[in-house]
Coordinates of all heavy atoms in Angstrom, one line a residue:
K1 N 0.9 -1.2 0.0 CA 0.0 0.0 0.0 C 0.9 1.2 0.0 O 1.9 1.3 0.7 CB -0.9 0.0 1.2 CG -1.9 -1.2 1.2 CD -2.8 -1.1 0.0 CE -3.8 -2.3 0.0 NZ -4.6 -2.3 -1.3
K2 N 0.5 2.3 -0.8 CA 1.4 3.4 -0.9 C 0.7 4.7 -0.6 O 0.1 5.4 -1.5 CB 1.9 3.4 -2.4 CG 2.8 2.3 -2.7 CD 3.3 2.4 -4.2 CE 4.3 1.3 -4.5 NZ 4.8 1.5 -5.9
P3 N 0.7 5.1 0.6 CA 0.1 6.5 1.0 C 1.0 7.5 0.2 O 2.2 7.4 0.0 CB 0.3 6.6 2.5 CG 1.4 5.6 2.8 CD 1.2 4.5 1.8
D4 N 0.3 8.6 -0.2 CA 1.0 9.6 -0.9 C 2.2 10.3 -0.2 O 3.3 10.4 -0.7 CB 0.0 10.7 -1.4 CG -1.0 10.1 -2.5 OD1 -0.5 9.5 -3.4 OD2 -2.2 10.4 -2.3
L5 N 1.9 10.6 1.1 CA 3.0 11.3 1.9 C 2.9 10.7 3.3 O 1.8 10.4 3.8 CB 2.8 12.8 2.0 CG 3.0 13.6 0.7 CD1 2.5 15.0 0.9 CD2 4.4 13.6 0.2
V6 N 4.0 10.5 3.9 CA 4.1 10.1 5.3 C 5.1 11.0 6.0 O 6.3 11.0 5.7 CB 4.5 8.6 5.5 CG1 4.4 8.3 7.0 CG2 3.6 7.7 4.7
F7 N 4.6 11.7 7.0 CA 5.5 12.5 7.9 C 6.0 11.5 9.0 O 5.2 11.1 9.8 CB 4.8 13.7 8.6 CG 4.4 14.8 7.6 CD1 3.3 14.6 6.8 CD2 5.1 16.0 7.6 CE1 2.9 15.7 5.9 CE2 4.8 17.0 6.8 CZ 3.7 16.8 5.9
R8 N 7.3 11.2 9.0 CA 7.9 10.3 10.0 C 8.2 11.1 11.2 O 9.0 12.1 11.1 CB 9.1 9.6 9.4 CG 8.8 8.7 8.3 CD 7.9 7.6 8.7 NE 7.7 6.6 7.6 CZ 6.8 5.6 7.6 NH1 6.1 5.5 8.7 NH2 6.6 4.8 6.6
L9 N 7.7 10.7 12.4 CA 8.0 11.4 13.6 C 9.1 10.7 14.3 O 9.2 9.5 14.5 CB 6.7 11.3 14.5 CG 5.4 11.8 13.8 CD1 4.2 11.7 14.8 CD2 5.6 13.2 13.3
S10 N 10.1 11.6 14.7 CA 11.3 11.0 15.3 C 11.3 11.0 16.9 O 11.6 10.0 17.5 CB 12.5 11.8 14.9 OG 12.3 13.2 15.1
S11 N 10.8 12.1 17.5 CA 11.0 12.2 18.9 C 9.8 11.6 19.7 O 9.9 11.4 20.9 CB 11.1 13.7 19.3 OG 9.9 14.4 19.0
T12 N 8.7 11.2 19.0 CA 7.6 10.7 19.8 C 7.2 9.3 19.5 O 6.2 8.8 19.9 CB 6.4 11.6 19.5 OG1 6.1 11.5 18.1 CG2 6.6 13.0 19.9
R13 N 8.0 8.6 18.7 CA 7.6 7.2 18.3 C 7.7 6.3 19.6 O 8.7 6.2 20.3 CB 8.6 6.6 17.3 CG 8.2 5.2 16.9 CD 8.6 4.9 15.4 NE 10.0 4.9 15.3 CZ 10.8 3.7 15.3 NH1 10.1 2.6 15.4 NH2 12.0 3.7 15.1
P14 N 6.5 5.7 20.0 CA 6.5 5.0 21.2 C 7.4 3.7 21.2 O 7.7 3.2 20.1 CB 5.0 4.6 21.3 CG 4.3 5.5 20.4 CD 5.2 5.8 19.3
Y15 N 7.7 3.3 22.3 CA 8.5 2.1 22.5 C 7.8 0.9 21.8 O 6.6 0.7 21.9 CB 8.6 1.8 24.0 CG 9.4 0.5 24.3 CD1 10.7 0.3 24.0 CD2 8.7 -0.6 25.0 CE1 11.4 -0.9 24.3 CE2 9.4 -1.7 25.3 CZ 10.7 -1.9 24.9 OH 11.3 -3.1 25.2
R16 N 8.6 0.2 20.9 CA 8.1 -0.9 20.1 C 7.2 -0.6 19.0 O 6.7 -1.5 18.4 CB 7.5 -2.0 21.0 CG 8.5 -2.7 22.0 CD 7.8 -3.8 22.8 NE 8.8 -4.5 23.6 CZ 8.5 -5.4 24.5 NH1 7.2 -5.7 24.7 NH2 9.4 -6.0 25.2
A17 N 6.9 0.7 18.8 CA 6.0 1.0 17.6 C 6.8 0.7 16.3 O 8.0 1.1 16.2 CB 5.6 2.5 17.7
R18 N 6.1 0.1 15.4 CA 6.7 -0.3 14.1 C 6.9 1.0 13.3 O 6.0 1.7 13.0 CB 5.9 -1.3 13.4 CG 5.8 -2.6 14.1 CD 4.7 -3.5 13.5 NE 4.8 -3.7 12.1 CZ 3.8 -4.2 11.4 NH1 2.7 -4.7 12.0 NH2 3.9 -4.4 10.1
H19 N 8.2 1.1 12.8 CA 8.5 2.3 12.0 C 7.6 2.6 10.8 O 7.1 3.7 10.6 CB 9.9 2.3 11.5 CG 10.3 3.3 10.5 ND1 10.6 4.6 10.8 CD2 10.3 3.2 9.1 CE1 10.8 5.3 9.7 NE2 10.7 4.5 8.7
E20 N 7.3 1.5 10.0 CA 6.6 1.7 8.8 C 5.2 2.0 8.9 O 4.5 2.6 8.0 CB 6.8 0.4 7.9 CG 5.9 -0.8 8.4 CD 6.6 -1.7 9.4 OE1 7.6 -1.2 10.0 OE2 6.2 -2.8 9.6
V21 N 4.6 1.8 10.1 CA 3.1 2.1 10.3 C 2.9 3.2 11.3 O 1.8 3.5 11.6 CB 2.4 0.8 10.7 CG1 2.4 -0.2 9.7 CG2 2.8 0.3 12.1
Y22 N 4.0 3.9 11.7 CA 3.9 5.0 12.6 C 4.3 6.3 11.9 O 5.3 6.5 11.3 CB 4.8 4.8 13.8 CG 4.7 5.9 14.8 CD1 3.6 6.0 15.7 CD2 5.7 6.9 14.9 CE1 3.5 7.0 16.6 CE2 5.6 7.9 15.8 CZ 4.5 7.9 16.7 OH 4.4 9.0 17.6
G23 N 3.4 7.3 12.0 CA 3.6 8.6 11.4 C 2.3 9.3 11.1 O 1.2 8.8 11.4
I24 N 2.4 10.5 10.5 CA 1.2 11.2 10.0 C 1.1 10.9 8.5 O 1.9 11.4 7.7 CB 1.4 12.7 10.3 CG1 1.6 13.0 11.8 CG2 0.2 13.5 9.8 CD1 1.9 14.5 12.1
F25 N 0.1 10.1 8.2 CA -0.2 9.7 6.9 C -1.1 10.8 6.2 O -2.0 11.3 6.8 CB -0.9 8.4 6.8 CG 0.0 7.2 7.3 CD1 0.2 7.0 8.6 CD2 0.5 6.4 6.3 CE1 1.0 6.0 9.0 CE2 1.3 5.3 6.7 CZ 1.6 5.1 8.1
A26 N -0.8 11.1 4.9 CA -1.5 12.0 4.1 C -1.8 11.5 2.7 O -0.9 11.1 2.0 CB -0.7 13.3 4.0
E27 N -3.1 11.4 2.4 CA -3.5 10.9 1.1 C -3.9 12.2 0.3 O -4.6 13.1 0.8 CB -4.7 10.0 1.2 CG -5.2 9.4 -0.1 CD -4.2 8.4 -0.8 OE1 -3.2 8.1 -0.2 OE2 -4.5 8.0 -1.9
C28 N -3.5 12.2 -1.0 CA -3.7 13.4 -1.8 C -4.6 13.1 -3.0 O -4.4 12.0 -3.6 CB -2.4 14.0 -2.3 SG -1.1 14.2 -1.0

């Protein structure tokens, strides 16, 4: 699956949260 944009959050990613599914997703 390919969301148009993903803002990857560095300082707030919770412990054990999977990188690829964590962020602010934006569909355009």
